[in-house]
Amino acid sequence: MTQPPTVLAGEGTAPAAAPAGKGPAAPRAKAAKPLMERIPTPVLLTAALALLVAVWQGAISLGWVNEYVLPTPWDTATALWDVTADLFTGGPVFDNFLISAQETLYGLLIAAVAGIVLGVLIAETVIGRRVLQPLMIALYAAPKVALAPLFVAWFGFDMAPKVVMAAVIAFFPVMVDTAAGLAGIDEDEDKLFKSLRANAWQRFVKLKLMNALPFVFAGLKSASVLAVIGAIVAEFLGGGEGLGVMVKTASVGFALDRVFAFVILLSVMAFLVYLAVDLIERKVIFWRQTGFLPTES
């Protein structure tokens, strides 16, 4: 006797309906962020500084480092307080700070203009690629600190040799990043511009320059820190006035706590210049929120 075909469970039937009262599946809950991403940045920075100070003080207390070689955090904080009070009350530190700040800003401005112009020439012209680029690489490879005595001999002992030194040290990142940004355009986008009969100037401004702007600002950020280093090194070697001279004077007198205080002050100055460039970048390249400052969301 022939048996009727067996129907497998669920075969030929409609999918099971959703439970009554429930709609489409709810979106998955967002994955929890890692612990380090949930802690606010100020808290992390405070914890890192506290750990650094604890290690610093511990190394001195345990006798690993002599106090005459490495001042205690308390002595450094006291010297930093004195330097800061002198800065904000118009004392000698304030006068020398203004000189170093002017040298840095003038050097950075010259480095920005020279770096962008030379970067464009290297990326867009044959003579730039075949003549300027090798010369710039040779100058980049030269030890810039050795040029400080030459700048003093050529420009005297005033502010000029410090500005030139800051500009020479700072302009290479701007030049290299500008040339790289101009040369790194997307081939498909370039073909699209050519198909639309865009002339050379339109391709340069609307395609290449727009593509190079993030690179230019990346170079300017590096240059902002290097300009401070160049100005201080020039002051240290060439004398005159400025925070570099005050650092040298403190080191000759073996006032290491004061040297540390000036180093911290210079670091803050370099950080502020960096933040200023970062802020300008966020205003100019408003469609790319990739700067250092936190974005509003």
Side-chain angles (χ1 to χ4, degrees):
M1 183 175 182
T2 306
Q3 296 295 330
T6 304
V7 179
L8 297 178
E11 184 178 349
T13 60
K22 293 186 177 181
R28 292 182 177 178
K30 292 184 178 178
K33 292 183 178 180
L35 177 62
M36 295 298 290
E37 294 186 9
R38 282 182 286 163
I39 301 176
T41 301
V43 176
L44 286 176
L45 288 175
T46 303
L49 289 175
L51 178 62
L52 175 63
V53 171
V55 173
W56 182 356
Q57 181 62 53
I60 297 174
S61 301
L62 295 174
W64 295 347
V65 182
N66 195 303
E67 188 175 336
Y68 293 103
V69 177
L70 180 65
T72 64
W74 177 254
D75 291 339
T76 302
T78 303
L80 181 61
W81 174 263
D82 295 337
V83 168
T84 305
D86 196 327
L87 174 66
F88 286 101
T89 55
V93 175
F94 175 76
D95 297 333
N96 287 274
F97 176 84
L98 282 184
I99 293 173
S100 297
Q102 290 177 10
E103 294 167 354
T104 299
L105 294 179
Y106 293 157
L108 180 59
L109 181 61
I110 295 173
V113 174
I116 292 174
V117 171
L118 289 175
V120 171
L121 290 176
I122 289 174
E124 297 296 314
T125 64
V126 176
I127 193 171
R129 287 190 295 272
R130 302 187 62 180
V131 177
L132 282 179
Q133 189 172 17
L135 292 177
M136 290 300 105
I137 292 174
L139 182 59
Y140 182 63
K144 265 71 73 181
V145 176
L147 300 176
L150 293 177
F151 295 152
V152 172
W154 294 342
F155 302 106
F157 294 90
D158 293 330
M159 187 180 292
K162 286 84 170 180
V163 172
V164 173
M165 187 71 180
V168 168
I169 289 183
F171 101 98
F172 284 103
V174 184
M175 181 192 69
V176 172
D177 287 351
T178 300
L182 291 172
I185 59 173
D186 185 79
E187 293 184 0
D188 294 333
E189 293 180 355
D190 194 27
K191 291 179 181 177
L192 176 62
F193 270 70
K194 290 179 180 178
S195 67
L196 295 175
R197 299 183 183 276
N199 58 36
W201 176 251
Q202 290 172 328
R203 287 175 56 229
F204 174 76
V205 174
K206 297 184 178 180
L207 176 62
K208 295 183 179 181
L209 192 57
M210 290 296 105
N211 180 74
L213 279 179
F215 294 86
V216 173
F217 276 99
L220 287 174
K221 288 179 181 178
S222 300
S224 64
V225 178
L226 292 175
V228 177
I229 296 174
I232 298 304
V233 168
E235 292 172 353
F236 201 88
L237 297 176
E241 296 179 293
L243 291 179
V245 178
M246 300 195 79
V247 172
K248 185 176 182 180
T249 303
S251 63
V252 171
F254 219 70
L256 298 186
D257 53 348
R258 199 167 173 81
V259 172
F260 270 74
F262 282 124
V263 170
I264 294 173
L265 178 60
L266 288 170
S267 301
V268 172
M269 185 173 77
F271 186 67
L272 292 177
V273 177
Y274 182 96
L275 284 183
V277 177
D278 184 87
L279 182 61
I280 295 172
E281 178 192 17
R282 294 171 61 82
K283 296 297 182 183
V284 175
I285 316 177
F286 54 88
W287 63 90
R288 286 173 56 95
Q289 300 298 329
T290 57
F292 176 81
L293 296 174
T295 58
E296 297 179 359
S297 61

